[in-house]
Structure formats: structure tokens, C-alpha cells
Amino acid sequence: MTGARVGSALTDEQAAVRDLVEEFAAEEVRPNAAEADETETFPEDVWDGLAELGLTGLTVPEEYGGFGADKTTYAVVNEALAHGSLAVATALSVHCLATSCIAEFGTEAQREAWLPEMAETGRPVGMFCLSEPQAGSNPAQMATTATYDPEADEYVLNGEKQWITNGRRGGVAIVFAKAAGEGDADSDELDDAITQFLVPADTDGFEVGKKEEKLGLRASDTTGITFDDCRVPAENRLTEEGKGLSAAFRTLTEGRIGIAAQAVGVAQAALDEATSYAEEREQFDRPIGDIQTIRHKLAEMSTDVSAARLLVREACRQAEAGEDYRVAASKAKYRASEAAMSVTNEAVQIHGGYGYTTEFDVERLYRDAKITEIYEGTTEIQKTIIARGVFGE
Ligand SMILES: Cc1cc2nc3c(=O)[nH]c(=O)nc-3n(C[C@H](O)[C@H](O)[C@H](O)COP(=O)(O)OP(=O)(O)OC[C@H]3O[C@@H](n4cnc5c(N)ncnc54)[C@H](O)[C@@H]3O)c2cc1C
């Protein structure tokens, strides 16, 4: 990466992890990112490499065979991986959402049954099934139900989830549904009944839907998932009935730090590409990097990346200090995703016509950056959370 990296006050251990992942991303991830994007194929060999490095257990506590990463380490890993490929970083962060749910909300038996394998081998790959066709920013509007069958001591899931990352490659899903305990399916009561379930993908009635054709993040596997009388044992419930939505919001706040860090990684990659190009490309008998207009663009891009990284680090610091870091996480995601958009845009501009072609990575980075403003809470939702902080609400 070019230039001094502001916000790099890491411990020796955190810096060592960052260096390791940067090397892996540069050698194993980035070289194949364009092809994976073009063929819309997730690089499973890279996933196995992540497992070998222990990163598929990034947020799994050490007693279950995981890395037990602190928030700063989680962020630097996400940034370094996204520098190589946002699709790979996204797949890992969603797997981490799933392992975090099991670690934080699961019973001892659930943790022992799932976490060691998911950490050590990266299999089964985790999914996080919250969004639905009619319920995105407001997940409380979800229609998926889980009806308790007392005779079988099972829940019967019915409904449709949308935009599920790792949808085809995933082996286990954290599913949010409105639980109707004791078989009472009265819809008013269901409003407050969102509950989390752990559902293996090979359960009867778990149906993977069509793969989404996307603007960017094309190597990431995004599908719908339908539950058609999908029966799970009651012991697969992760929280008490009605406690699922607050659990989802807690998990998503943690996840936002990861998405913000990924946005920084994409922006840094675009800055690096644009800097190299500006050094090499000559017009008017000199490198375009000697032209003040281009130098100022790079100065602004570099400042945006540094500011975004500092907001990510501040959110990590608050989280590690045990503070309420919801506003800080939203500020980091809002500003870092905005930086990813503006920096990739300028990186394409600095490449001129070449930047508009698939020959150069900035074209893919530009398309990929957009998603960071949308998933795990849109920019508008981040601003709503930040405004609540402004008013002390
Ligand atoms: C590639 C990809 C991967 C994804 N992966 C997953 C996944 O693994 N699991 C999962 O559960 N979901 C996933 N999602 C879903 C994602 O989190 C949602 O798309 C996102 O939360 C927005 O929901 P929506 O698309 O329904 O938009 P909507 O909620 O319909 O929003 C439409 C527009 O209205 C705005 N808006 C809505 N409500 C408000 C409000 N109150 N105030 C101001 N503005 C508002 C939004 O900001 C947006 O601009 C993924 C999405 C994509 C595209």
C-alpha cells in the first residue's frame, strides 16, 4: 500500500495479523479477483486458505477453537481482505455474523456442536437470514413464521428470505422468524415475537432460490432462501421467543465495524491503483502524477481513507472499552462507505478511459464500493442512528 497509514496504532500482535492477511490478500486473493468477478464464481480455494490461517474462526472464542479476535483485529482483517476482494471479505464477515450469533446467543451444546468445525475448517459456511422481499430496513416487517409443534417439540418455518450472502455455498443459517409459541399464530402477537433459529441447509423444506445478478460483488454468492414447512427441533432455537430482533441489532452493530473496515480496504485499493497509474501514465510529456489537479485528487482521496480508518478505529476502541458504540459504528460505516464511493470514482477518473474498462481493477472496485452504502443498514439508516446520538435519544 502506498503512503503512511494513519490510524495504525496497533499492538504488535494486531500489526502481525494485519501483515499476514495483507500478504495473503496480495498473493492469493487479489490476483484472481477479476476472474472471480467475471465468472461470478466464489473462490473456494481462497476460503480454504482463510481456514488454514484460522480466519474462519475470527470471532469464535478460543475455547471453541477460534481466533477470539478483538474488534480492532476484526477490523484490520476485514480491511486487508477487502483490499484483495470485497466479495471474499463479505463472505467471511457473514460467516462471522453466524458464528458470533452461535457464540453469543447459543447454548453450550449448540456452541460445542457448531463452532469448532466452523472455526477450524470454515465448514459449514454460515449464513445470516434476516432480510425479506418486503422487509429490509425494517426487519420487524418480516413475514416468515416459526410455529411451535408441541407434539414433535419442533418449530415449523415458513417464509421467504432475500439477499442471503453465501446462499448457495452455505451449510448453516441463522434464521429470524416470528415465532408462534404453543401454536398460537395470531398476527398481532407475532409482531414482537421475532426469534433466532439455527437451521442446517440440508433440512427438508430449506430451499435455495435464484442467484441475484448484481452490479458488483459478483463473486459473492447472493440468493433467496425459502422455508417450506421446514422443521427444526426446538433445541435449535438460539434465543428466547421474542428476543431475536434485539439480538440481530446487536450482531449487526458488530458487523457494521467489519463493513466499514471493508469499505476502507476498497478505498485504499483504489487509491493505491490510482497512485501507481498516475506515476506511469504520461500526457503532455510528463507523468499525470506531476499535474497539480491529479495530485490534489490523490491528496483528497488519501485524506478520505485516513479519516474513514480513524472512525473505524474509534468504533473499535469504544467497543473494546465496553462503551455503547452503536453511534460510533454507524459513523464509521456511513463515512467509510462514502469514502469508498468517492475514492473509487476518482480512481476511475484518474485512469481516464482505461478506468472504464475491465482491464483495470478500478472498474471493479468502483462497482463493488456501492454495496457498502446498502447492506447491513443503508446510509440513511446509519444517519438515523447517528441523529439519535446527536439528540441523546
Ligand atoms: C449484495 C447484498 C448482500 C446482502 N446480504 C444479506 C445477508 O446476508 N443477510 C441479510 O439478511 N440481508 C442481506 N442483504 C440485505 C440488505 O441488508 C438490505 O438490502 C438493506 O438492509 C436494505 O433493505 P432493502 O434492500 O429492502 O431496502 P429498503 O429498506 O426498501 O430501502 C429502500 C430505500 O429507502 C430508504 N429507507 C428505508 N427506510 C428508511 C427510513 N426509515 N429512513 C430513511 N430512509 C429509509 C433506504 O435507505 C433506501 O435508500 C444484502 C443485500 C445485498 C444487496
Side-chain angles (χ1 to χ4, degrees):
M1 293 184 190
T2 51
R5 280 172 305 187
V6 173
S8 53
L10 302 174
T11 63
D12 288 348
E13 200 182 330
Q14 289 163 345
V17 174
R18 180 197 61 193
D19 293 348
L20 184 76
V21 181
E22 278 183 359
E23 192 183 323
F24 178 78
E27 288 176 6
E28 310 289 337
V29 184
R30 188 82 182 264
N32 303 316
E35 190 187 338
D37 176 79
E38 195 186 333
T39 58
E40 297 183 45
T41 313
F42 187 83
E44 293 299 340
D45 53 331
V46 166
W47 188 258
D48 294 338
L50 292 175
E52 274 167 35
L53 290 176
L55 297 178
T56 45
L58 195 58
T59 55
V60 172
E62 285 174 67
E63 63 262 41
Y64 300 101
F67 202 101
D70 56 35
K71 292 286 184 297
T72 305
T73 305
Y74 182 66
V76 297
V77 167
N78 271 285
E79 181 186 331
L81 256 191
H83 191 274
S85 159
L86 183 61
V88 170
T90 298
L92 182 67
S93 62
V94 170
H95 177 76
C96 288
L97 288 184
T99 55
S100 292
C101 286
I102 299 170
E104 192 168 350
F105 307 111
T107 61
E108 190 52 36
Q110 288 165 338
R111 289 188 203 128
E112 280 172 8
W114 293 95
L115 292 179
E117 271 308 282
M118 291 177 81
E120 283 162 32
T121 68
R123 318 272 172 185
V125 175
M127 296 170 270
F128 186 83
C129 300
L130 182 65
S131 304
E132 300 189 1
Q134 77 300 335
S137 298
N138 181 15
Q141 224 166 281
M142 72 174 58
T144 298
T145 55
T147 308
Y148 183 64
D149 172 355
E151 276 176 29
D153 195 25
E154 289 174 342
Y155 283 88
V156 187
L157 271 59
N158 279 291
E160 188 185 353
K161 296 290 174 181
Q162 197 171 9
W163 318 114
I164 303 307
T165 300
N166 296 331
R168 284 178 307 171
R169 51 191 301 274
V172 65
I174 306 301
V175 180
F176 296 83
K178 289 186 170 174
E182 309 300 317
D184 179 2
D186 177 83
S187 60
D188 289 341
E189 288 180 22
L190 285 176
D191 281 349
D192 298 316
I194 293 174
T195 305
Q196 254 183 120
F197 297 91
L198 213 160
V199 187
D202 59 5
T203 310
D204 283 347
F206 185 109
E207 295 166 8
V208 179
K210 93 172 169 55
K211 172 176 150 312
E212 299 295 344
E213 303 289 334
K214 306 191 294 294
L215 169 72
L217 207 73
R218 292 163 68 87
S220 172
D221 165 30
T222 317
T223 72
I225 291 183
T226 303
F227 300 96
D228 183 11
D229 283 336
C230 178
R231 287 181 164 268
V232 290
E235 65 188 22
N236 280 28
R237 207 182 59 206
L238 270 180
T239 43
E240 284 171 48
E241 285 188 9
K243 296 279 186 335
L245 198 54
S246 55
F249 288 150
R250 270 228 314 266
T251 308
L252 287 174
T253 301
E254 280 179 33
R256 265 166 209 157
I257 288 185
I259 303 299
Q262 289 170 14
V264 174
V266 170
Q268 180 74 56
L271 172 61
D272 293 345
E273 290 297 310
T275 307
S276 303
Y277 191 79
E279 283 169 342
E280 287 159 20
R281 175 72 174 170
E282 292 192 1
Q283 289 294 287
F284 302 99
D285 299 324
R286 57 180 174 156
I288 60 167
D290 283 355
I291 302 169
Q292 191 73 324
T293 311
I294 301 291
R295 296 177 75 82
H296 280 190
K297 279 186 191 297
L298 290 164
E300 286 164 15
M301 292 155 75
S302 176
T303 306
D304 280 351
V305 173
S306 298
R309 185 178 291 120
L310 283 171
L311 282 173
V312 173
R313 294 286 163 80
E314 171 59 11
C316 294
R317 187 201 63 73
Q318 291 186 18
E320 286 160 8
E323 297 170 19
D324 180 348
Y325 66 101
R326 282 175 294 180
V327 169
S330 287
K331 283 182 179 174
K333 184 177 184 283
Y334 158 46
R335 194 37 73 82
S337 56
E338 193 179 66
M341 283 301 289
S342 65
V343 172
T344 56
N345 183 35
E346 287 291 44
V348 170
Q349 193 67 20
I350 288 171
H351 280 69
Y354 293 101
Y356 201 64
T357 71
T358 54
E359 193 183 333
F360 286 86
D361 278 351
V362 289
E363 181 265 351
R364 174 173 43 82
L365 295 169
Y366 176 71
R367 287 185 288 104
D368 282 355
K370 181 63 194 170
I371 190 59
T372 64
E373 292 192 317
I374 297 174
Y375 59 12
E376 294 200 22
T378 62
T379 292
E380 291 75 17
I381 295 301
Q382 305 315 320
K383 288 185 188 174
T384 301
I385 295 168
I386 296 164
R388 276 190 212 130
V390 170
F391 287 105
E393 293 166 356

